[in-house]
Amino acid sequence: MGRLHPNRVISPILFLFILISYAHSFYLPGVAPRDFTRGDPLQVKVNKLSSTKTQLPYDYYYLKFCKPQKIMNSAENLGEVLRGDRIENSIYTFHMREEQPCKAACRTKLDAEATKNFKEKIDDEYRVNMILDNLPVAVLRQRRDGSQSTTYEHGFRVGFKGNYAGSKAEKYFINNHLSFRVMYHRDLETDSARIVGFEVTPNSINHEYKEWDEKNPQLATCNQNTKNIIQGSTVPQEVEKDKEIVFSYDVSFKESDIKWASRWDTYLLMNDDQIHWFSIINSLMIVLFLSGMVAMIMMRTLYRDIANYNQLETQDEAQEETGWKLVHGDVFRAPVNSGLLCVYVGTGVQILAMTLVTMIFALLGFLSPSNRGGLMTAMVLLWVFMGLFAGYSSARLYKMFKGTEWKRNTLKTAFLFPGILFVIFFVLNALIWGEKSSGAVPFGTMFALVCLWFGISVPLVFVGSYLGFKKPAMEDPVKTNKIPRQVPEQAWYMTPIFSVLIGGILPFGAVFIELFFILTSIWLNQFYYIFGFLFIVFVILVVTCAEITVVLCYFQLCSEDYNWWWRAYLTAGSSALYLFLYSIFYFFTKLEITKLVSGILYFGYMSIASFAFFVLTGTIGFYACLWFVRKIYSSVKID
């Protein structure tokens, strides 16, 4: 039998996954355009209740809203479940292009528990999320700059607090009347239409009626014959125990020039784009300038060193060596805890491959916001499949360090990083479950994640390790002495702690502005969509990690300190420390989280993100330094 070549394994797996993702993106229910004719039924679906103050989503029917006779869950992908989405049917139904005046949907009486839940959710500023034809409901808002352009807020508030009729104490009021407006784009030839917008105006109305008829309830506070939706009473509906609440709604339709392909544009333009673009371009210019300066200094200095060393070899071989050439006999000596370094490097390659392919999918439009949960699903599945690269790179490095227990190294690669993440995730999930939040991952989904880990990722790590260990070890360009030389005392600015902390500043500076928008999209319930800029920032992050690590590694070798393996990894990886410190700054300046559980969730998830960023940037810096060291020591004449 011939040896199994890595490409023969990798290519079919990547091709299969790309094919699945392509099909999943375009054939997901609700993503393809739907043509509606006049009178076609429209069903509003309800999603989770969300709050930026608690970060804990809840099922819509956690509150005592009106329920349909049978609650049906919509099919959800892995990403939607992990995000806490719970999409279900609702009582809000109407017909395409047929305006519906004020209509009573149902009535409900609040008991003590329901009253308490409503008041808590109003205090925490929870918003109701609904969906029509895959479009989330939104509330119109005025832009701060006073322009006439339309901007949206996600969902509408459950209710509000305020004083009414001269009362001194604040009371709680519920938004029990919803005025829907559906925008559609009409095809002039067929007269069919596509939905391009879904807006709502919430109101709080204390409805009145003489006698309740379940089939056709008549409200004294509604006029069902004209477009004047609500008449007479402007008294808001108070939330109190034993209060009866009548839920109502009306629907209007408006023809729009917006085409179906552009219907998400208004939803995505929720940030100040001018500031976003200016900040990113400014960041790119600064980082590119610094990178150019570093590259120019390195090229000139290094070429001069190599030329001088080679000239000394020919003119006077007895002259004593100095600088980085002096440690040539120790520079490739295996570091302490070399096995752990191999595990981290292999995991970093896995994260790098996952990030790169995910960004490519996003750039191609497969992971747009209209595909709810698509980004999360792609990241999880790509992580699983990229275990092949983790095992291969870890085994190659392990063999270069002359390791022999490749199976133990493979097990560490397959279980260390995912195991740490799973433990943190399990603890956080238990806290969410204790709060009765829909954000808690169900047992079935947790079991599916474990099956993906043990059933696909671990075997692929072993396949990659087997292929990597079968290949011949990389040969060092110079021989390693049997007895290690003593490292001279280092200046204060070349001590490991100082140089490592300094090295992480530039990579963090490359991403911190974009990081602000990413954190805003995650924790303030906004869409992130500028994947093109994100890809550019990611490329610059890779370049700066590589360059700053190479520069500091060169200075370290010139100081006759040959212990560069771990230092190279930690130099770029220290940018994760600044990321975590920035997340602390963001927490206290931008978020309004006050609950202990919510704070633990925030810092728990940011710890996971910082740890992954550490492994990613550290691996980039390590490989850049490994290439640099091998390159310079193979370029000089050493006996």
Side-chain angles (χ1 to χ4, degrees):
M1 287 181 63
R3 186 169 22 175
L4 187 62
H5 195 274
N7 290 336
R8 295 180 184 175
V9 179
I10 297 170
S11 300
I13 292 176
L14 286 180
F15 176 78
L16 178 63
F17 182 73
I18 291 172
L19 187 64
I20 293 172
S21 299
Y22 187 92
H24 172 75
S25 299
F26 281 93
Y27 292 101
L28 190 71
V31 174
R34 294 180 60 191
D35 294 316
F36 296 93
T37 57
R38 185 184 295 272
D40 283 347
L42 301 176
Q43 171 78 58
V44 176
K45 296 181 179 179
V46 291
N47 199 350
K48 61 189 176 184
L49 306 172
S50 59
S51 168
T52 57
K53 292 186 70 173
T54 68
Q55 304 297 332
L56 293 169
Y58 284 87
D59 184 89
Y60 175 80
Y61 294 112
Y62 176 82
L63 296 179
K64 200 172 182 180
F65 289 119
C66 295
K67 297 181 180 180
Q69 292 182 352
K70 183 180 180 182
I71 297 177
M72 295 180 292
N73 294 319
S74 298
E76 296 173 348
N77 57 41
L78 179 62
E80 286 178 301
V81 176
L82 294 176
R83 281 163 32 100
D85 287 342
R86 299 294 182 267
I87 302 172
E88 300 160 316
N89 59 326
S90 73
I91 58 170
Y92 300 106
T93 58
F94 33 88
H95 296 275
M96 185 67 180
R97 294 165 63 186
E98 293 182 2
E99 302 214 348
Q100 172 69 60
C102 182
K103 178 181 178 180
C106 75
R107 62 176 179 170
T108 184
K109 193 171 185 178
L110 301 184
D111 53 21
E113 183 181 1
T115 303
K116 174 175 171 290
N117 290 339
F118 268 113
K119 289 183 177 181
E120 285 180 353
K121 296 300 174 280
I122 292 173
D123 276 331
D124 292 331
E125 299 179 4
Y126 269 84
R127 306 183 78 89
V128 179
N129 296 284
M130 295 181 173
I131 299 170
L132 178 66
D133 191 38
N134 202 47
L135 275 182
V137 74
V139 179
L140 279 171
R141 71 175 181 182
Q142 280 293 112
R143 290 181 66 98
R144 294 178 180 177
D145 55 9
S147 64
Q148 299 298 317
S149 58
T150 301
T151 57
Y152 283 152
E153 288 181 351
H154 292 300
F156 60 91
R157 290 197 176 184
V158 172
F160 57 92
K161 290 171 63 176
N163 300 318
Y164 182 75
S167 63
K168 295 182 179 179
E170 281 192 330
K171 296 184 177 181
Y172 294 83
F173 302 99
I174 184 175
N175 288 319
N176 60 324
H177 180 86
L178 304 178
S179 296
F180 295 112
R181 185 167 74 157
V182 180
M183 276 76 73
Y184 64 92
H185 183 79
R186 186 165 64 93
D187 189 336
L188 298 178
E189 295 181 1
T190 63
D191 199 43
S192 62
R194 293 177 176 176
I195 295 175
V196 296
F198 184 37
E199 300 174 2
V200 67
T201 303
N203 293 285
S204 182
I205 302 295
N206 187 9
H207 283 300
E208 300 173 1
Y209 61 89
K210 293 182 180 179
E211 186 176 351
W212 185 265
D213 182 0
E214 290 291 345
K215 294 183 178 179
N216 187 24
Q218 301 292 323
L219 302 178
T221 46
C222 282
N223 187 335
Q224 300 193 13
N225 299 318
T226 68
K227 293 184 179 181
N228 190 4
I229 306 301
I230 301 172
Q231 290 186 342
S233 174
T234 57
V235 179
Q237 177 63 63
E238 187 179 349
V239 177
E240 277 297 333
K241 181 184 175 183
D242 298 328
K243 279 269 188 181
E244 186 181 68
I245 297 179
V246 176
F247 290 89
S248 60
Y249 67 100
D250 61 74
V251 185
S252 62
F253 290 85
K254 180 183 179 183
E255 189 169 355
S256 173
D257 295 331
I258 299 173
K259 295 184 179 181
W260 187 88
S262 305
R263 67 178 188 161
W264 274 87
D265 290 356
T266 308
Y267 290 85
L268 299 178
L269 299 176
M270 293 190 177
N271 295 319
D272 195 329
D273 290 338
Q274 292 182 350
I275 296 177
H276 195 148
W277 284 63
F278 174 77
S279 300
I280 292 175
I281 292 174
N282 183 57
S283 176
L284 294 179
M285 294 298 294
I286 293 173
V287 173
L288 286 173
F289 173 75
L290 291 174
S291 300
M293 291 292 293
V294 168
M296 183 179 67
I297 293 170
M298 283 302 305
M299 293 294 287
R300 293 185 61 182
T301 305
L302 195 58
Y303 278 147
R304 185 171 64 249
D305 280 354
I306 293 175
N308 290 339
Y309 284 144
N310 288 336
Q311 187 177 11
L312 286 174
E313 283 290 336
T314 56
Q315 290 182 358
D316 188 2
E317 294 183 357
Q319 186 166 347
E320 185 179 356
E321 297 170 346
T322 57
W324 56 268
K325 188 182 177 185
L326 185 62
V327 295
H328 66 82
D330 298 275
V331 74
F332 290 103
R333 189 180 304 281
V336 179
N337 289 330
S338 59
L340 184 62
L341 180 62
C342 296
V343 170
Y344 273 112
V345 170
T347 304
V349 171
Q350 187 177 8
I351 297 176
L352 178 62
M354 177 201 72
T355 306
L356 196 59
V357 178
T358 301
M359 285 189 181
I360 292 173
F361 282 174
L363 285 172
L364 295 176
F366 295 160
L367 306 178
S368 66
S370 62
N371 185 355
R372 283 185 311 276
L375 181 63
M376 184 75 71
T377 304
M379 291 178 66
V380 172
L381 293 179
L382 278 169
W383 164 264
V384 169
F385 284 111
M386 295 306 169
L388 188 74
F389 296 98
Y392 181 81
S393 54
S394 177
R396 290 282 289 152
L397 190 61
Y398 187 70
K399 191 169 185 179
M400 189 183 76
F401 290 145
K402 298 177 175 58
T404 55
E405 298 178 342
W406 71 275
K407 293 181 181 178
R408 179 179 294 183
N409 178 72
T410 304
L411 284 173
K412 291 180 180 178
T413 306
F415 288 102
L416 182 63
F417 181 79
I420 294 173
L421 261 60
F422 188 81
V423 168
I424 298 175
F425 180 73
F426 185 82
V427 172
L428 296 178
N429 194 65
L431 291 174
I432 299 173
W433 179 79
E435 294 291 321
K436 300 179 181 179
S437 168
S438 65
V441 177
F443 175 79
T445 305
M446 190 75 75
F447 181 74
L449 290 174
V450 173
C451 289
L452 286 173
W453 178 16
F454 283 85
I456 301 178
S457 179
V458 173
L460 285 177
V461 171
F462 267 92
V463 171
S465 290
Y466 176 79
L467 296 175
F469 208 76
K470 283 292 182 182
K471 291 183 71 69
M474 291 184 288
E475 294 184 1
D476 299 332
V478 292
K479 293 181 180 180
T480 302
N481 297 333
K482 293 182 179 180
I483 302 175
R485 64 179 290 117
Q486 186 176 0
V487 177
E489 187 177 351
Q490 301 292 303
W492 65 269
Y493 52 84
M494 287 306 299
T495 56
I497 294 179
F498 183 82
S499 61
V500 163
L501 291 178
I502 289 295
I505 295 177
L506 190 58
F508 173 75
V511 299
F512 88 96
I513 294 181
E514 195 67 20
L515 180 65
F516 170 80
F517 294 102
I518 294 174
L519 292 179
T520 300
S521 67
I522 295 173
W523 300 107
L524 294 181
N525 197 25
Q526 295 186 10
F527 289 115
Y528 186 86
Y529 63 98
I530 309 182
F531 293 107
F533 275 108
L534 181 63
F535 184 77
I536 295 173
V537 170
F538 179 73
V539 171
I540 291 180
L541 171 67
V542 173
V543 173
T544 49
C545 282
E547 287 185 347
I548 196 66
T549 308
V550 166
V551 169
L552 293 179
C553 180
Y554 172 71
F555 292 154
Q556 179 185 351
L557 295 177
C558 288
S559 300
E560 300 178 13
D561 183 357
Y562 54 83
N563 299 311
W564 63 273
W565 301 95
W566 275 108
R567 181 93 68 94
Y569 195 96
L570 296 174
T571 296
S574 65
S575 56
L577 174 63
Y578 297 102
L579 187 151
F580 188 75
L581 293 176
Y582 180 78
S583 70
I584 297 174
F585 171 79
Y586 186 86
F587 178 84
F588 287 106
T589 57
K590 299 297 180 182
L591 301 182
E592 299 178 1
I593 294 176
T594 54
K595 290 189 175 182
L596 177 62
V597 172
S598 303
I600 294 174
L601 290 178
Y602 175 83
F603 287 109
Y605 285 126
M606 290 311 301
S607 298
I608 292 176
S610 300
F611 187 31
F613 193 73
F614 164 74
V615 176
L616 170 66
T617 52
T619 300
I620 294 170
F622 173 82
Y623 270 118
C625 208
L626 177 61
W627 170 85
F628 170 74
V629 172
R630 292 179 64 86
K631 194 73 175 176
I632 63 173
Y633 282 99
S634 62
S635 301
V636 296
K637 299 174 184 177
I638 298 174
D639 293 334

